[in-house]
Amino acid sequence: VPELPEVETIARGLQVLVHKRIGTVDVRLPRVVQTPAGADFSRELRGARISAVQRRGKYAVFRLDSGRALVVSLRMTGRLVLSRTSEPESPVARVVFNLTDGTRLTFADVRTLGRVRLVEPGEAWDDALGIEPLSSGFTPQAFIGMLAGRTTPIKVLLLDQRRIAGIGNIYACEALWEARIRPTRAAESLTKPAMNRLHDAIVNVLNRAIAMRGTSVSDYVDANGAEGGFQNVLMVYGKAGMPCCRCGTPIVRTVIGRRGTWWCRTCQR
Ligand SMILES: [Zn+2]
């Protein structure tokens, strides 16, 4: 499932689209597109120029010169991949954007859980999303304030997109291991030094994963179809039974908040 580092890598790979103009749009599976009432997705986008490609949480955002935006949620198996309009189309293409210069952007999705949404200028589509963990506002103080009074298990809180946007299961597990914190701990029960360690671990893990172009453990590829590299340096995620790199104890998998969670019983306290 693409998390912040994967979507960031995709968005960076799609910077080549900035200033290009959309020609035709082919919607192969109408239920993946969401459009303002009364609007026709393909017709509304024809002729639109892409002014920026950004990321917000786990969403890719295409700003259009009309002030509208296309917001893409990749969910489980969604991909945004570039090609030429002359190349054969992906068999799981759901929406195909043909740019006027011969570039093609395909939203492909095996499981069809992803969505492509056209939002109006100023529409507050991301109001429910929390702080960006790589923004200057995500200070240790802000993080500590977020945990105060919260009895939620810290792992569950890290996955709550309304608090911090973009962290999913992989990076929550990895950050908690790096900070040596047990994933079941009530958020408010962490000591100040532990909260500081976790804050730094979140930022470090995300930055390292971006530097390695994301984690390809299942379907993720970047905008050019290439896999990431962070799956080769994971410490706990998916490592049940393997020795902890810090202490040698076998990594365990437990379920917390209905999500598989990998951690070390010895060095995560
Ligand atoms: Zn350990």
Side-chain angles (χ1 to χ4, degrees):
V1 180
E3 304 180 25
L4 185 154
E6 290 76 42
V7 181
E8 180 67 28
T9 303
I10 291 167
R12 291 181 186 185
L14 294 174
Q15 293 306 309
V16 296
L17 297 178
V18 175
H19 304 316
K20 292 192 197 300
R21 197 172 287 281
I22 297 172
T24 55
V25 180
D26 301 317
V27 178
R28 303 289 181 221
L29 186 66
R31 68 180 162 83
V32 309
V33 303
Q34 299 172 323
T35 315
D40 177 86
F41 189 83
S42 301
R43 194 179 322 132
E44 299 290 336
L45 287 168
R46 194 171 306 148
R49 207 175 60 105
I50 297 169
S51 54
V53 184
Q54 303 163 332
R55 177 197 57 75
R56 172 81 170 103
K58 302 178 190 175
Y59 297 87
V61 182
F62 300 81
R63 303 265 169 214
L64 305 174
D65 58 0
S66 60
R68 287 174 162 168
L70 276 173
V71 177
V72 180
S73 138
L74 298 167
R75 297 292 297 280
M76 299 292 286
T77 56
R79 291 179 170 183
L80 283 167
V81 179
L82 294 170
S83 62
R84 303 295 300 171
T85 49
S86 52
E87 292 175 58
E89 194 172 293
S90 160
V92 292
R94 307 307 180 196
V95 186
V96 179
F97 301 89
N98 300 297
L99 304 178
T100 55
D101 75 338
T103 306
R104 179 165 62 201
L105 171 68
T106 302
F107 174 70
D109 192 356
V110 172
R111 292 182 59 180
T112 72
L113 296 167
R115 292 290 179 267
V116 181
R117 179 175 163 193
L118 180 62
V119 302
E120 296 289 9
E123 191 178 332
W125 68 272
D126 67 342
D127 261 10
L129 285 182
I131 193 167
E132 286 290 329
L134 298 181
S135 69
S136 56
F138 186 64
T139 59
Q141 292 70 26
F143 184 56
I144 288 167
M146 195 182 288
L147 306 191
R150 303 269 163 211
T151 55
T152 323
I154 185 64
K155 163 92 185 308
V156 174
L157 187 140
L158 293 183
L159 295 180
D160 185 348
Q161 302 300 301
R162 296 168 300 179
R163 306 207 177 279
I164 306 174
I167 302 177
N169 210 16
I170 295 175
Y171 301 107
C173 290
E174 294 293 314
L176 286 163
W177 181 84
E178 185 160 314
R180 306 191 302 280
I181 293 166
R182 186 172 288 241
T184 50
R185 284 275 302 273
E188 64 169 5
S189 75
L190 269 59
T191 63
K192 276 266 171 61
M195 291 178 182
N196 274 308
R197 284 203 309 275
L198 183 54
H199 170 274
D200 293 355
I202 290 166
V203 173
N204 290 337
V205 164
L206 293 173
N207 275 324
R208 290 205 308 271
I210 291 171
M212 296 186 76
R213 309 180 56 78
T215 304
S216 292
V217 284
S218 51
D219 290 86
Y220 161 72
V221 292
D222 70 14
N224 297 301
E227 291 195 344
F230 202 69
Q231 67 278 8
N232 301 316
V233 297
L234 292 171
M235 293 294 157
V236 285
Y237 181 84
K239 302 280 182 192
M242 311 270 281
C244 169
C245 292
R246 215 161 28 210
C247 74
T249 306
I251 300 298
V252 292
R253 178 188 184 276
T254 58
V255 176
I256 301 170
R258 290 179 295 166
R259 304 294 302 275
T261 304
W262 289 265
W263 54 289
C264 174
R265 286 189 188 280
T266 302
C267 61
Q268 288 180 253
R269 291 287 163 190

